Amino acid sequence: MKTLLKGGTVVTSSGTRRADVLMDGEKIAQVGRALNVAADETVDVTGCLLFPGFIDAHTHFALDVCNTTTADDFASGSRAALRGGTTTVIDFACPNKGETLKHGLALWHEKADGKTYCDYGFHMTIDDWNDSIRAELPEMFAAGISSFKMYLTYPAMMIGDENVYLALRELKKLGGIAGVHCESAGVINGMIAERKAAGKLSPASHPMSRPQGLEAEAVSRLLRIAEVADCPVVIVHLTNHEALEEVERARKRGQKVYVETCPQYLLLDDSLYYQDDYSAAARYVCAPPLRDKSEQKYLWRGLRRGEIQTISTDHCSFTLAQKDAGREDFTKIPGGLPGVETRGELIYSYGVAKRNIHLDTMCRALAENPAKLYGLFPRKGIIRRGSDADIVVYDPAASHVIRASDCVANVDYNPYEGFVTAGGISRVYLRGRLAVQNGIVLDGPQGKYMVRGKNML
Ligand code: MN
């Protein structure tokens, strides 16, 4: 099956150009001006932007956490991703402490294989460290996993500075990379205990017990550990300028540091936690928490300057009924927001259209950089001959209002309810097949597991 997209503007990391795109089977066969070739179908995309399929390198589908399970499993979550122009997700496989990485990987394949609507890969969580886990790492690379996750907070997940160092040394040897959740566990626990003792149990205590300075402290500590371990790291879901300053310091020392932020930190702020209505506030609980509105400009600036390389969502959805678990105690609110369905339209609308973020910056942050960082490039992340025919057809002249009721994610609210988009996704192609048209997901679960290579960013 050959499909020709005619009259569009192809977005790349070095700008835009008017070009037709010929897809042949699962691959892009040709990109060029006024292609005069035979195709089974020719689609007029005049006036539209053609982005490489977006990659969301931070999702949590079908995750058992906070005594419950995320509302979205791989089917509903990846369907929502696809509808939002995301043709590849990288989810976090997460063995429990005491389990092998191999077991965690098998479990994630069980959750995802045959059920996933977009292409997918896994990062592997290292939430335990010993000789047998160390010995398993080469096997992970062989299974297509080149990136790992570690936590500097959450007792169930954290392994401590010594083991973070040892794990980074091992990843250095193997050419792997680690994304790290940076918040200072100990001090945060102290602040939580203080608020609980004072009877301050509402959602407002969530951001108040996780101040941004403690994120910056953990970033700084991690980067000093990474410096002596001589290993590149990714700061996942960075939220504020103090944390970003620590990254800049490490870069001046010569370190390789990559930064991810998320739409919620670019577009939402902590005033949402201070609403009197429990449910209105609890739905925004995530960690790190939303920050003061004044932080947003630093994140947009970091993106513009290339200090922030990727935008992922940290999609970790819970229904309002699940969020109700913390009515009497803010620490029992399951933490996480849905976002996988709206990232592309939000970044275009509130970045490109409203803040003059360049299209090439958006293309890098949502597609090319995650593809390079996580070893999917050039199969993914670029519209080029030989790459997978994953294409988002974006109509800048369209507009709609984001409503939970229109979304297909399995969650009964949307953090961006009422946001008006500039433009909209009119079509999504996944490996050459039309997968989404005008907001309707057309296809079943066609997602393939992606064996990933090493970081090339
Ligand atoms: Mn996460």
Side-chain angles (χ1 to χ4, degrees):
M1 169 89 180
K2 289 186 183 178
T3 307
L4 179 63
L5 303 179
K6 221 167 167 40
T9 297
V10 172
V11 183
T12 74
S13 63
S14 53
T16 59
R17 64 171 177 139
R18 287 287 304 278
D20 301 339
V21 178
L22 180 69
M23 300 183 275
D24 185 357
E26 298 199 335
K27 299 289 182 186
I28 293 168
Q30 274 190 72
V31 182
R33 275 306 277 271
L35 289 183
N36 218 335
V37 291
D40 302 295
E41 191 189 6
T42 299
V43 182
D44 181 4
V45 292
T46 302
C48 288
L49 299 166
L50 306 182
F51 286 96
F54 303 138
I55 296 167
D56 192 336
H58 194 149
T59 65
H60 301 280
F61 298 151
L63 180 67
D64 297 324
V65 66
C66 310
N67 301 313
T68 185
T69 303
T70 54
D72 281 299
D73 59 10
F74 272 84
S76 70
S78 64
R79 204 163 168 265
L82 200 54
R83 187 171 178 272
T86 292
T87 48
T88 306
V89 297
I90 311 178
D91 200 87
F92 292 86
C94 197
N96 293 310
K97 280 194 198 236
E99 294 172 353
T100 62
L101 303 184
K102 202 179 163 134
H103 174 78
L105 179 58
L107 190 59
W108 250 255
H109 273 298
E110 205 176 289
K111 290 171 192 266
D113 294 354
K115 298 168 201 156
T116 305
Y117 283 68
C118 62
D119 287 347
Y120 60 99
F122 304 129
H123 309 282
M124 179 55 65
T125 307
I126 297 178
D127 56 10
D128 208 355
W129 186 252
N130 50 50
D131 286 341
S132 75
I133 286 182
R134 180 204 307 270
E136 279 194 276
L137 288 177
E139 218 178 306
M140 292 296 113
F141 285 84
I145 293 171
S146 53
S147 51
F148 298 80
K149 174 83 174 281
M150 293 192 280
Y151 290 82
L152 297 185
T153 191
Y154 300 136
M157 318 286 266
M158 51 195 278
I159 56 174
D161 293 352
E162 177 180 347
N163 287 334
V164 167
Y165 168 74
L166 293 172
L168 288 177
R169 288 299 290 166
E170 203 61 27
L171 291 181
K172 161 78 180 176
K173 272 191 236 163
L174 298 166
I177 195 156
V180 183
H181 180 135
C182 293
E183 286 187 290
S184 291
V187 188
I188 286 171
N189 288 343
M191 295 187 78
I192 288 173
E194 280 179 329
R195 300 199 71 79
K196 282 185 148 185
K200 295 174 177 162
L201 298 170
S202 76
S205 285
H206 174 71
M208 295 179 85
S209 54
R210 311 183 87 91
Q212 68 184 34
L214 294 183
E215 180 184 340
E217 185 279 329
V219 168
S220 162
R221 181 158 38 95
L222 170 75
L223 292 176
R224 286 299 186 177
I225 297 170
E227 182 185 20
V228 290
D230 190 25
C231 187
V233 286
V234 185
I235 310 297
V236 295
H237 48 46
L238 181 134
T239 71
N240 70 85
H241 81 282
E242 291 178 296
L244 195 53
E245 281 170 7
E246 297 300 337
V247 172
E248 288 307 306
R249 262 183 215 119
R251 285 178 176 151
K252 284 196 186 114
R253 297 195 293 267
Q255 289 179 245
K256 273 253 179 229
V257 187
Y258 305 96
V259 176
E260 167 198 276
T261 192
C262 311
Q264 55 270 36
Y265 304 117
L266 291 160
L267 297 172
L268 305 175
D269 66 78
D270 62 2
S271 65
L272 294 160
Y273 297 124
Y274 304 121
Q275 304 177 84
D276 289 332
D277 179 55
Y278 169 83
S279 180
R283 69 186 65 188
Y284 294 101
V285 166
C286 58
L290 305 176
R291 303 298 187 191
D292 189 86
K293 198 171 179 54
S294 63
E295 292 301 326
Q296 294 172 3
K297 63 177 179 291
Y298 295 105
L299 298 180
W300 286 112
R301 188 178 75 183
L303 190 66
R304 196 175 269 118
R305 290 177 172 175
E307 295 163 358
I308 294 173
Q309 284 70 44
T310 69
I311 302 173
S312 311
T313 64
D314 199 4
H315 182 98
C316 187
S317 57
F318 299 99
T319 63
L320 292 175
Q322 288 178 296
K323 290 277 187 184
D324 260 351
R327 275 199 183 268
E328 312 300 324
D329 175 356
F330 69 97
T331 62
K332 302 225 159 55
I333 304 169
L337 303 183
V340 77
E341 197 164 352
T342 49
R343 178 183 58 143
E345 290 184 344
L346 285 171
I347 298 306
Y348 183 89
S349 303
Y350 293 88
V352 175
K354 186 171 169 190
R355 290 181 174 84
N356 203 25
I357 296 290
H358 292 173
L359 280 167
D360 49 316
T361 301
M362 174 172 164
C363 182
R364 272 195 294 275
L366 270 64
E368 189 165 315
N369 284 348
K372 287 179 171 169
L373 183 57
Y374 297 118
L376 290 164
F377 191 83
R379 179 169 183 186
K380 305 289 191 189
I382 188 166
I383 297 177
R384 175 204 275 181
R385 186 165 62 88
S387 295
D388 278 359
D390 299 340
I391 295 177
V392 178
V393 180
Y394 198 91
D395 178 2
S399 176
H400 66 104
V401 179
I402 293 177
R403 301 273 182 224
S405 53
D406 295 332
C407 289
V408 303
N410 187 32
V411 57
D412 52 354
Y413 77 98
N414 191 295
Y416 310 97
E417 185 78 24
F419 277 51
V420 180
T421 72
I425 292 167
S426 68
R427 286 167 172 252
V428 181
Y429 289 89
L430 174 65
R431 281 180 278 103
R433 295 168 70 109
L434 180 62
V436 177
Q437 188 171 14
N438 298 323
I440 309 294
V441 182
L442 301 170
D443 233 345
Q446 300 283 340
K448 278 190 187 168
Y449 174 71
M450 292 289 119
V451 172
R452 299 184 291 111
K454 289 177 184 174
N455 170 28
M456 56 181 94
L457 184 61

